[in-house]
Structures are given as C-alpha cells and as structure tokens.
Amino acid sequence: MKVFLRYEDNEDESKHKTLKITLPKSWKNGPASRLLDQFVESYNGGNEGQSNPLESSSMHLALRRSSAAATNDDTATTSLEDVPSDGIIIETIADRDDVFVCHGPSRTVEEINTERQAKLDQEKEALKNLSKCVHFGCNQRFPKGGPYPDCKYHTGPPVFHETAKFWSCCPNKKAYDWDGFQTLPACQQGKCTDVKDEESNQKQFLGGCDLREEMNGPKLKSIDDFNASAAAGGSEGAPVLERLRSVLGELGVENELFDQVLEGVKKEEMAKNGLQEGDAKVVDEATKTLGLKLKKAMKAIAVEQLRIS
C-alpha cells in the first residue's frame, strides 16, 4: 500500500513537500497519526523544515473529497475531509490516496462524529422552514412562501436505463456516471415552486420498461377492460375502478362499501361539473377524485407511522 503525503498549506510554495510512503504491513492496522508523525519527521529533517518546522500536535491529515453541489448550477465542489488521528489507516485511507498535511490539531473519531452529528441536527432544524423546488432537476431550497429564486429545470423526469442516464425531455444528452448526469444542462428557465400538480400522474423517474412501452405504443386492453369501458360509454376509468373494487375486496373492503363511496363521488362530480348520469366523463372524473382521496389517506397513514416511530 502506497500513499502520497502532501504539505501545501503554506502560501510559500518553496515550503511545500510531497512524500511518497510505502507502508509496512504492520502499519495498515495502526492509527493514522503514525503517518503524520512520519511526515513531520521527514519534513523537519529536510531543507523545508529548517525555516518552517512543523509540530505533529498542531497538524492533521485530510483527504480531498468531491461532491455535487445542491444548487441550481449543477456544479461539483471539492473539500478536505479530516482523517481522525485514531482512525485505522486501512479503513480510512485507500491505496495511492493523496493525503494532505494541514495546520490545525488532529481530532479523534469520536470528536469528528460528534461535530458531524451536531451539523446534521442543525441542518435538519434549518430545513423545517424551507421548501424544496418540485421542478425536475432543481434541488434548490427556499423559505416557505417565498421569495422564489430563479430556476433552471427539466420538463420531464430522469431516465435510468442500463448504464445510460438522461432526462426524458432531452434524450440526446446522455451521461454514463452520476457525476456526469449531475452536470447535464437544464432545458427550461423560470421560477422555483413548491406547489406540486396533484392530478399529474407523471412518474418521478423512468426505466427500461417505460421506454419499451413508449416505443411499442399504448398497452392493449384486456377483454375485461374493454367490456367495462364499453359498458360505461367508453370511459377509460371504468376498468380501473373494476380492478380497484376487486383488489380492495381481497383486502377486506366490502364491495357494498366501495360501491357506496363510488356513487357518492360520482354525485359530487355531477354537481361540480354539471354532468348527467350515464356520461362517461362522470366515471373518469370520479376515478381521478377517488385516486386523490386514496392517496391522501395513504399519506395520512404514513405521517402517523412517522409520528409513532
């Protein structure tokens, strides 16, 4: 196992130094502080250390990590992540890693984890007062109720098919790793919003099955679905309601109860939209409304589960 120890935390480049170390087997399961001590000893024994002596107690090791920034710029950022002084070398540092020697005392695993948890708790508390943009590809957060920042986004959901990653609205721009996907340019500009279209059935992401369905055209109706649709005057919602009635029956919801609720929803839609009984649109609108009511009920159950846990 080899590592490259780099000291660059000095404006004077003549004080910089890189030390390549091949670790003895006995070091791999030892603390990272051993690497720091080795570098400081080598540095102070050279020309650089004569004018800029280092002390192990006031230095620490760090690794450069990259991450996609959660902003509308879709850019990647890098930062230095501290290596704990008591961290096991083979568990915290990879073969041929660049390990940076920086000013500032080292911290233990416990100290780093405590600070990290405090930061997560602080971020979690801050998020309570923020909303997240619901536009595809925009990860911006903003105060609830506005002001709403400028937004760059996509009109369609992402597609993850085999190794390719792209936005369904921009099929000619593909990436084959996550970092590349994060940097694909947006195709629309506007303002962020936290209002989601509850009536939209658009999926949050697409896969191979969705692509094949799109290429092969709409799915052919079964005989049962065709008959149910025809009996309801051509309603597309009728076969959906038939299947829902059957499934809920298997879950213990009596057919009579389902029929009672459905009739009530139909009457609401006729009164709201000025429709007549027997109109296919009554069934279609009732299907949408019933779906939204079921979704609301499921969300309420999920919220209750989170509250209990």
Side-chain angles (χ1 to χ4, degrees):
M1 179 178 179
K2 296 181 175 64
V3 295
F4 298 88
L5 296 169
R6 301 182 183 277
Y7 172 68
E8 300 175 356
D9 195 10
N10 195 306
E11 294 181 357
D12 186 353
E13 293 187 2
S14 66
K15 303 294 193 299
H16 294 181
K17 181 174 181 174
T18 297
L19 179 64
K20 178 181 178 181
I21 296 181
T22 300
L23 274 63
K25 290 183 178 180
S26 60
W27 281 35
K28 295 180 181 180
N29 293 310
S33 59
R34 183 174 292 178
L35 283 176
L36 178 61
D37 292 338
Q38 178 65 33
F39 179 85
V40 170
E41 181 180 344
S42 174
Y43 186 90
N44 289 341
N47 295 330
E48 301 87 355
Q50 293 181 8
S51 58
N52 183 45
L54 303 179
E55 293 185 11
S56 296
S57 60
S58 61
M59 308 296 292
H60 69 275
L61 301 179
L63 298 171
R64 193 176 298 282
R65 301 301 188 197
S66 62
S67 61
T71 68
N72 211 32
D73 297 330
D74 290 331
T75 56
T77 60
T78 60
S79 60
L80 290 177
E81 182 179 290
D82 288 6
V83 175
S85 58
D86 57 347
I88 303 303
I89 292 176
I90 197 171
E91 296 177 359
T92 55
I93 301 173
D95 184 30
R96 299 184 183 278
D97 255 351
D98 287 321
V99 184
F100 294 88
V101 181
C102 307
H103 288 282
S106 298
R107 294 177 298 164
T108 63
V109 171
E110 183 178 0
E111 290 171 334
I112 291 176
N113 287 341
T114 299
E115 180 181 310
R116 184 176 297 155
Q117 186 60 49
K119 184 178 179 180
L120 289 174
D121 292 341
Q122 185 178 6
E123 291 175 350
K124 185 177 180 180
E125 186 65 29
L127 289 177
K128 291 181 180 180
N129 299 316
L130 297 177
S131 293
K132 184 178 180 180
C133 181
V134 298
H135 284 150
F136 289 117
C138 178
N139 295 316
Q140 292 192 102
R141 293 184 182 273
F142 45 86
K144 292 182 178 179
Y148 301 96
D150 293 335
C151 180
K152 295 179 181 179
Y153 61 98
H154 290 274
T155 57
V159 179
F160 305 118
H161 179 49
E162 295 180 349
T163 59
K165 300 169 180 61
F166 58 96
W167 294 94
S168 56
C169 51
C170 305
N172 295 324
K173 298 177 181 178
K174 291 183 173 67
Y176 294 90
D177 59 57
W178 185 252
D179 290 338
F181 175 69
Q182 291 288 85
T183 60
L184 292 177
C187 61
Q188 298 292 324
Q189 295 188 30
K191 290 289 185 179
C192 286
T193 179
D194 53 1
V195 180
K196 193 171 183 179
D197 185 0
E198 292 292 342
E199 296 187 3
S200 173
N201 293 322
Q202 194 169 35
K203 295 181 178 181
Q204 292 303 301
F205 65 90
L206 304 177
C209 293
D210 300 292
L211 296 181
R212 286 189 290 273
E213 181 177 328
E214 183 177 332
M215 292 175 63
N216 296 332
K219 183 180 179 181
L220 294 177
K221 292 181 180 178
S222 67
I223 295 297
D224 291 339
D225 285 355
F226 179 83
N227 292 336
S229 178
S235 167
E236 295 294 330
V240 176
L241 292 173
E242 284 288 341
R243 294 195 298 272
L244 180 61
R245 185 177 188 268
S246 175
V247 170
L248 290 178
E250 294 178 10
L251 293 176
V253 179
E254 296 84 356
N255 290 341
E256 294 78 7
L257 176 58
F258 178 84
D259 294 339
Q260 178 184 338
V261 172
L262 180 58
E263 285 303 315
V265 174
K266 286 181 181 179
K267 290 179 181 179
E268 291 175 4
E269 293 302 322
M270 286 190 290
K272 183 170 63 175
N273 299 306
L275 301 173
Q276 298 296 321
E277 188 171 358
D279 190 332
K281 192 174 180 181
V282 173
V283 179
D284 291 337
E285 293 300 320
T287 303
K288 293 179 183 178
T289 300
L290 186 57
L292 292 175
K293 290 179 179 293
L294 288 173
K295 184 177 181 179
K296 185 176 180 180
M298 294 294 285
K299 285 185 174 180
I301 294 173
V303 170
E304 181 66 16
Q305 289 173 335
L306 290 173
R307 186 186 68 80
I308 293 175
S309 60

